[in-house]
Amino acid sequence: MVLEKLGSALSDALRKVTGRGFVDKAAVDEFIRDLQRALLQADVDVKLVFELSNRIRERSLNERPAAGMTAKEHMVKTVYDELVSLLGKEAGNVELKKQKILLVGLYGSGKTTSAAKLARFFVRKGLKPALVGCDTFRPAAQEQIIQLGDQIGVPSYAQGKDPSRTASEAIEKFSDRDVVIFDSAGRNALDAGLAGELKNLKDAIKPDEVFLVIPADIGQAAGKQSEEFSRLVGITGVIVTKMDGTAKGGAALSSCSIVNAPIKFIGVGEKVDEFEQYDPKRFVARLIGYGDLQGLLEKAEEIKTPELAKSADSIMSGKYSLQDFYEQIESIKKMGPLKQVMQMIPGLKLPEGVLDVQERQMAKWKNAMDSMTTKEKLNPELIEASRIKRISKGSGLKEDEVKELIKHYDRTKKMMRMMGGKNLKRGGFAQLAKQFGIKV
Ligand SMILES: Nc1nc2c(ncn2[C@@H]2O[C@H](COP(=O)(O)OP(=O)(O)OP(=O)(O)O)[C@@H](O)[C@H]2O)c(=O)[nH]1
Ligand SMILES: [Mg+2]
């Protein structure tokens, strides 16, 4: 996996904090220290790391979690949001239309390889690309692009000594192709020679997109470089290559996003298929590997949807859902520790230990239900194998325990139906207790 070290450090840190009973200041501070260490090791700029830490600390401690979210979930969501914003905010959109794309970048950054990868990407999307080799500077550069084209079955054109002329000839030749991709020459630095050549090339091509190609191991210099190229030829996107070869790629991703150069693709290997469209949301989700991030995000989305909350009310009035089950557990818990409550019932004697077991069970089930989305709680029949797996990951319960919860809920539902509705809420404690297997 790309940025494996950063990923495992982040997921360890999150696991540590979410494994605690509750999230307090000490827990947040410890998490922030772990997070800072992990990001600095991935070479992310110190200033960015401190700004991010401050926002996470502030939001985790002072923001009220939205209704339905626990403090822990709120913190995980905050960390996710802030990392997405650090590593690129929005996904770089790639239009699937007829267009001309120019690739620019320094020596050996991966331009020619990326040109072929990009062509392959468009083939997969059902478009007809073509490759143009405008690197007349480096010997063998033209053969390289022709070979790559042959390898992926895409026509190519690479002839002549003047890049702009090659480009103009190719535009005519490939007028029937959908996407024409122009590879350009690199230099050690963005010197006057390269600057002049790229300006002319851009004038000759009039590209729809200019992608800057930078290797991930360039680190924080990525921001400065994308700014320089942007000033010169106006880049519309960035391809970060060689993400597979460095633990420091966090720097390139974050410094590009800070100069507002959207990262469109990342290169994750030398082969033509080792290329991914970059979406910071998906990237961060994969990176932090939090058990049930998907469920959590769905839940956060649902909170923003008042219609769902309304429909929840109406659905709940008609049938007994896991949501009701949850609320019953909550209401029992509000009465205080079971032992104390039971002691108030005269003449009741229970075998030692029974209540502790029940109490632990209820706490576990509550945990599992915290990992469910509202939709799932209202429609428990949705919860099939893959969701059970996710809920199990999110709550730390075994899959069997989640299944046991659902079984218990099913039994309760049947019992309720037999008793004629869901009047239990208004019913006595004895009835409630019975539901959880406690005979009163
Ligand atoms: N591991 C890895 N290697 C890559 C990646 N992209 C490119 N490379 C390698 O980087 C080297 C340089 O790639 P090129 O595509 O020739 O770079 P270039 O920018 O065209 O180089 P010049 O034309 O000389 O400026 C090659 O050995 C590629 O195989 C990547 O994503 N991962
Ligand atoms: Mg090249």
Side-chain angles (χ1 to χ4, degrees), residues 397-423:
L397 265 69
K398 297 197 189 83
E399 283 180 40
D400 277 346
E401 291 176 305
V402 179
K403 282 184 202 153
E404 182 54 38
L405 156 66
I406 300 194
K407 247 193 242 153
H408 191 91
Y409 152 77
D410 278 337
R411 272 203 302 275
T412 311
K413 192 166 84 175
K414 269 191 208 118
M415 195 179 84
M416 307 275 280
R417 210 177 283 143
M418 270 163 21
M419 294 187 334
K422 50 170 239 156
N423 297 325

Short mmCIF file of all heavy atoms in Angstrom, two decimals, residues 397-423:
data_model
loop_
_atom_site.label_atom_id
_atom_site.label_comp_id
_atom_site.label_asym_id
_atom_site.label_seq_id
_atom_site.Cartn_x
_atom_site.Cartn_y
_atom_site.Cartn_z
N LEU A 397 -16.94 -5.88 18.42
CA LEU A 397 -17.60 -7.15 18.78
C LEU A 397 -17.28 -8.21 17.75
O LEU A 397 -16.99 -7.88 16.60
CB LEU A 397 -19.13 -6.94 18.81
CG LEU A 397 -19.75 -6.64 20.16
CD1 LEU A 397 -19.33 -5.26 20.63
CD2 LEU A 397 -21.27 -6.71 20.07
N LYS A 398 -17.37 -9.46 18.18
CA LYS A 398 -17.20 -10.53 17.19
C LYS A 398 -18.43 -10.54 16.28
O LYS A 398 -19.51 -10.14 16.70
CB LYS A 398 -17.10 -11.88 17.89
CG LYS A 398 -15.88 -12.00 18.77
CD LYS A 398 -15.63 -13.48 19.09
CE LYS A 398 -14.57 -13.63 20.16
NZ LYS A 398 -15.10 -13.48 21.54
N GLU A 399 -18.22 -11.05 15.05
CA GLU A 399 -19.37 -11.10 14.13
C GLU A 399 -20.51 -11.92 14.73
O GLU A 399 -21.68 -11.59 14.57
CB GLU A 399 -18.95 -11.68 12.78
CG GLU A 399 -18.20 -10.66 11.94
CD GLU A 399 -17.75 -11.21 10.60
OE1 GLU A 399 -18.55 -11.95 9.99
OE2 GLU A 399 -16.61 -10.91 10.19
N ASP A 400 -20.14 -13.01 15.44
CA ASP A 400 -21.16 -13.84 16.07
C ASP A 400 -21.98 -13.07 17.10
O ASP A 400 -23.18 -13.29 17.26
CB ASP A 400 -20.51 -15.05 16.75
CG ASP A 400 -20.26 -16.15 15.73
OD1 ASP A 400 -20.83 -16.05 14.62
OD2 ASP A 400 -19.49 -17.09 16.04
N GLU A 401 -21.30 -12.16 17.79
CA GLU A 401 -22.00 -11.39 18.81
C GLU A 401 -23.00 -10.42 18.16
O GLU A 401 -24.08 -10.20 18.69
CB GLU A 401 -21.00 -10.63 19.68
CG GLU A 401 -20.18 -11.55 20.56
CD GLU A 401 -19.11 -10.80 21.36
OE1 GLU A 401 -18.30 -10.08 20.74
OE2 GLU A 401 -19.10 -10.95 22.59
N VAL A 402 -22.60 -9.87 17.01
CA VAL A 402 -23.53 -8.99 16.30
C VAL A 402 -24.74 -9.79 15.84
O VAL A 402 -25.89 -9.37 15.97
CB VAL A 402 -22.84 -8.30 15.10
CG1 VAL A 402 -23.83 -7.40 14.37
CG2 VAL A 402 -21.64 -7.48 15.55
N LYS A 403 -24.45 -11.01 15.33
CA LYS A 403 -25.56 -11.88 14.88
C LYS A 403 -26.47 -12.21 16.06
O LYS A 403 -27.69 -12.23 15.92
CB LYS A 403 -25.00 -13.18 14.29
CG LYS A 403 -24.47 -12.99 12.88
CD LYS A 403 -24.01 -14.31 12.30
CE LYS A 403 -23.02 -14.10 11.18
NZ LYS A 403 -22.10 -15.21 11.01
N GLU A 404 -25.86 -12.45 17.21
CA GLU A 404 -26.62 -12.78 18.42
C GLU A 404 -27.55 -11.61 18.77
O GLU A 404 -28.73 -11.82 19.10
CB GLU A 404 -25.63 -13.06 19.56
CG GLU A 404 -26.25 -13.47 20.87
CD GLU A 404 -27.20 -14.67 20.73
OE1 GLU A 404 -26.90 -15.61 19.94
OE2 GLU A 404 -28.24 -14.65 21.39
N LEU A 405 -27.04 -10.40 18.65
CA LEU A 405 -27.85 -9.21 18.93
C LEU A 405 -29.07 -9.18 18.00
O LEU A 405 -30.20 -8.94 18.42
CB LEU A 405 -27.00 -7.94 18.73
CG LEU A 405 -27.75 -6.64 18.43
CD1 LEU A 405 -28.61 -6.20 19.61
CD2 LEU A 405 -26.79 -5.52 18.08
N ILE A 406 -28.80 -9.44 16.72
CA ILE A 406 -29.91 -9.38 15.76
C ILE A 406 -30.94 -10.47 16.04
O ILE A 406 -32.14 -10.24 15.96
CB ILE A 406 -29.35 -9.45 14.32
CG1 ILE A 406 -28.42 -8.24 14.16
CG2 ILE A 406 -30.46 -9.47 13.28
CD1 ILE A 406 -28.01 -7.90 12.80
N LYS A 407 -30.42 -11.63 16.42
CA LYS A 407 -31.33 -12.73 16.77
C LYS A 407 -32.19 -12.33 17.96
O LYS A 407 -33.40 -12.54 17.98
CB LYS A 407 -30.51 -13.98 17.14
CG LYS A 407 -30.68 -15.11 16.12
CD LYS A 407 -30.12 -16.39 16.66
CE LYS A 407 -28.99 -16.89 15.79
NZ LYS A 407 -28.02 -17.72 16.52
N HIS A 408 -31.53 -11.75 18.96
CA HIS A 408 -32.25 -11.36 20.15
C HIS A 408 -33.32 -10.33 19.82
O HIS A 408 -34.43 -10.38 20.31
CB HIS A 408 -31.29 -10.80 21.21
CG HIS A 408 -31.95 -10.63 22.54
ND1 HIS A 408 -31.95 -11.61 23.50
CD2 HIS A 408 -32.69 -9.60 23.03
CE1 HIS A 408 -32.65 -11.18 24.54
NE2 HIS A 408 -33.10 -9.97 24.28
N TYR A 409 -32.92 -9.41 18.94
CA TYR A 409 -33.88 -8.40 18.51
C TYR A 409 -35.07 -9.05 17.80
O TYR A 409 -36.23 -8.72 18.06
CB TYR A 409 -33.19 -7.37 17.59
CG TYR A 409 -34.13 -6.73 16.61
CD1 TYR A 409 -35.01 -5.73 17.01
CD2 TYR A 409 -34.16 -7.17 15.28
CE1 TYR A 409 -35.90 -5.18 16.12
CE2 TYR A 409 -35.05 -6.61 14.40
CZ TYR A 409 -35.92 -5.62 14.81
OH TYR A 409 -36.81 -5.10 13.93
N ASP A 410 -34.78 -10.02 16.93
CA ASP A 410 -35.87 -10.71 16.22
C ASP A 410 -36.82 -11.40 17.19
O ASP A 410 -38.04 -11.31 17.05
CB ASP A 410 -35.28 -11.77 15.26
CG ASP A 410 -34.83 -11.13 13.96
OD1 ASP A 410 -35.35 -10.05 13.63
OD2 ASP A 410 -33.96 -11.71 13.28
N ARG A 411 -36.21 -12.07 18.19
CA ARG A 411 -37.05 -12.75 19.20
C ARG A 411 -37.92 -11.73 19.92
O ARG A 411 -39.12 -11.94 20.11
CB ARG A 411 -36.14 -13.45 20.23
CG ARG A 411 -35.74 -14.86 19.84
CD ARG A 411 -35.35 -15.68 21.06
NE ARG A 411 -34.25 -15.11 21.84
CZ ARG A 411 -32.97 -15.30 21.57
NH1 ARG A 411 -32.61 -16.07 20.55
NH2 ARG A 411 -32.04 -14.75 22.31
N THR A 412 -37.30 -10.62 20.31
CA THR A 412 -38.04 -9.59 21.03
C THR A 412 -39.19 -9.06 20.19
O THR A 412 -40.30 -8.88 20.67
CB THR A 412 -37.11 -8.42 21.39
OG1 THR A 412 -35.94 -8.97 21.99
CG2 THR A 412 -37.76 -7.47 22.36
N LYS A 413 -38.89 -8.88 18.91
CA LYS A 413 -39.90 -8.34 18.01
C LYS A 413 -41.12 -9.28 17.96
O LYS A 413 -42.26 -8.84 18.04
CB LYS A 413 -39.30 -8.17 16.60
CG LYS A 413 -40.19 -7.35 15.69
CD LYS A 413 -39.45 -6.92 14.45
CE LYS A 413 -39.49 -8.01 13.41
NZ LYS A 413 -38.89 -7.58 12.14
N LYS A 414 -40.81 -10.58 17.84
CA LYS A 414 -41.90 -11.56 17.80
C LYS A 414 -42.73 -11.50 19.07
O LYS A 414 -43.96 -11.49 19.04
CB LYS A 414 -41.32 -12.97 17.62
CG LYS A 414 -41.22 -13.33 16.16
CD LYS A 414 -40.90 -14.81 15.97
CE LYS A 414 -40.15 -15.00 14.68
NZ LYS A 414 -38.80 -15.54 14.86
N MET A 415 -42.00 -11.45 20.19
CA MET A 415 -42.66 -11.41 21.48
C MET A 415 -43.57 -10.19 21.58
O MET A 415 -44.70 -10.27 22.06
CB MET A 415 -41.59 -11.37 22.55
CG MET A 415 -42.07 -11.69 23.92
SD MET A 415 -40.66 -11.62 25.04
CE MET A 415 -40.62 -9.89 25.40
N MET A 416 -43.04 -9.07 21.08
CA MET A 416 -43.81 -7.83 21.14
C MET A 416 -45.08 -7.95 20.32
O MET A 416 -46.13 -7.45 20.71
CB MET A 416 -42.99 -6.67 20.58
CG MET A 416 -41.67 -6.52 21.20
SD MET A 416 -41.79 -5.57 22.67
CE MET A 416 -41.84 -4.00 21.95
N ARG A 417 -44.94 -8.61 19.19
CA ARG A 417 -46.10 -8.73 18.32
C ARG A 417 -47.18 -9.55 19.04
O ARG A 417 -48.35 -9.23 19.00
CB ARG A 417 -45.69 -9.38 17.00
CG ARG A 417 -46.57 -8.91 15.86
CD ARG A 417 -46.12 -9.49 14.54
NE ARG A 417 -44.94 -8.82 14.00
CZ ARG A 417 -43.97 -9.44 13.34
NH1 ARG A 417 -44.04 -10.75 13.14
NH2 ARG A 417 -42.95 -8.78 12.86
N MET A 418 -46.71 -10.61 19.72
CA MET A 418 -47.65 -11.44 20.43
C MET A 418 -48.35 -10.68 21.55
O MET A 418 -49.51 -10.89 21.83
CB MET A 418 -46.93 -12.67 21.01
CG MET A 418 -46.96 -13.81 20.03
SD MET A 418 -45.78 -15.15 20.33
CE MET A 418 -45.34 -15.04 22.01
N MET A 419 -47.57 -9.76 22.15
CA MET A 419 -48.15 -9.00 23.25
C MET A 419 -49.00 -7.86 22.74
O MET A 419 -49.55 -7.10 23.52
CB MET A 419 -47.05 -8.47 24.16
CG MET A 419 -46.35 -9.60 24.86
SD MET A 419 -45.17 -9.07 26.09
CE MET A 419 -44.70 -7.49 25.57
N GLY A 420 -48.99 -7.69 21.42
CA GLY A 420 -49.88 -6.69 20.84
C GLY A 420 -49.30 -5.30 20.81
O GLY A 420 -49.76 -4.41 21.52
N GLY A 421 -48.27 -5.13 20.05
CA GLY A 421 -47.76 -3.76 19.83
C GLY A 421 -46.53 -3.45 20.64
O GLY A 421 -45.95 -4.32 21.26
N LYS A 422 -46.21 -2.17 20.60
CA LYS A 422 -44.96 -1.80 21.26
C LYS A 422 -45.24 -0.88 22.44
O LYS A 422 -44.66 0.17 22.59
CB LYS A 422 -43.98 -1.18 20.28
CG LYS A 422 -44.57 -0.08 19.44
CD LYS A 422 -43.46 0.62 18.70
CE LYS A 422 -43.47 2.09 19.08
NZ LYS A 422 -42.26 2.78 18.92
N ASN A 423 -46.19 -1.33 23.26
CA ASN A 423 -46.54 -0.50 24.40
C ASN A 423 -45.54 -0.63 25.54
O ASN A 423 -45.72 -0.06 26.59
CB ASN A 423 -47.93 -0.87 24.92
CG ASN A 423 -48.97 -0.60 23.86
OD1 ASN A 423 -48.83 0.37 23.11
ND2 ASN A 423 -49.97 -1.46 23.77
#
